[in-house]
């Protein structure tokens, strides 16, 4: 009997509330991420945080293959420090309209 095992090559994960609690990655999670990387898999971090803030709170950022930051607006490669803007800020009139309707960030 043949088994069709699926081998995942990457893990995409949010930062706040998933990898980090109250903005901090605990030792057990850091160890698990380290094992993931050593197994040959890639870590893709996906977060709403702005990149400078993320760099301050997550010094292990270099273990990530890529970071999708700023709610999907920025793609970052920690190994080369190359940034690619994926989306521009929405027009201020649109943001004002959302706030007027009770939508907040």
């Amino acid at each position: 009997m043949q088994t069709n095992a699926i081998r995942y090559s990457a893990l995409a994960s949010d930062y706040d509330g998933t990898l980090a609690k109250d903005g901090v990655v605990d030792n057990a999670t850091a160890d698990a991420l380290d094992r993931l990387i050593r197994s040959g898999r890639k870590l893709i971090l996906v977060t709403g945080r702005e990149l400078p803030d993320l760099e301050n709170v997550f010094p292990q950022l270099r273990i990530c293959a890529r970071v999708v930051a700023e709610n999907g607006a920025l793609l970052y490669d920690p190994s080369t420090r190359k940034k690619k803007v994926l989306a521009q800020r929405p027009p201020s009139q649109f943001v004002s309209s959302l706030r007027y309707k009770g939508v907040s960030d």
Side-chain angles (χ1 to χ4, degrees):
M1 182 172 163
Q2 183 181 15
T3 353
N4 294 326
I6 297 175
R7 184 176 190 314
Y8 296 96
S9 58
L11 170 69
S13 177
D14 185 30
Y15 184 75
D16 290 294
T18 305
L19 295 182
K21 182 178 179 186
D22 298 323
V24 178
V25 176
D26 65 28
N27 290 337
T29 302
D31 290 345
L33 293 174
D34 198 42
R35 287 192 306 276
L36 176 88
I37 302 306
R38 285 195 323 267
S39 76
R41 293 173 177 88
K42 307 285 185 197
L43 174 62
I44 302 165
L45 188 59
V46 183
T47 181
R49 285 184 183 247
E50 293 184 3
L51 187 58
D53 180 43
L54 185 62
E55 290 174 316
N56 285 332
V57 297
F58 189 47
Q60 303 93 336
L61 194 60
R62 70 192 177 290
I63 69 170
C64 299
R66 295 291 184 279
V67 177
V68 180
E70 302 177 19
N71 288 320
L74 182 72
L75 179 64
Y76 177 66
D77 182 343
S79 68
T80 63
R81 300 187 57 84
K82 184 177 177 185
K83 300 171 191 171
K84 181 178 180 181
V85 175
L86 301 175
Q88 297 297 323
R89 181 177 208 74
S92 58
Q93 184 178 10
F94 176 71
V95 174
S96 295
S97 175
L98 289 175
R99 288 199 176 120
Y100 176 77
K101 293 178 180 186
V103 178
S104 62
D105 42 341

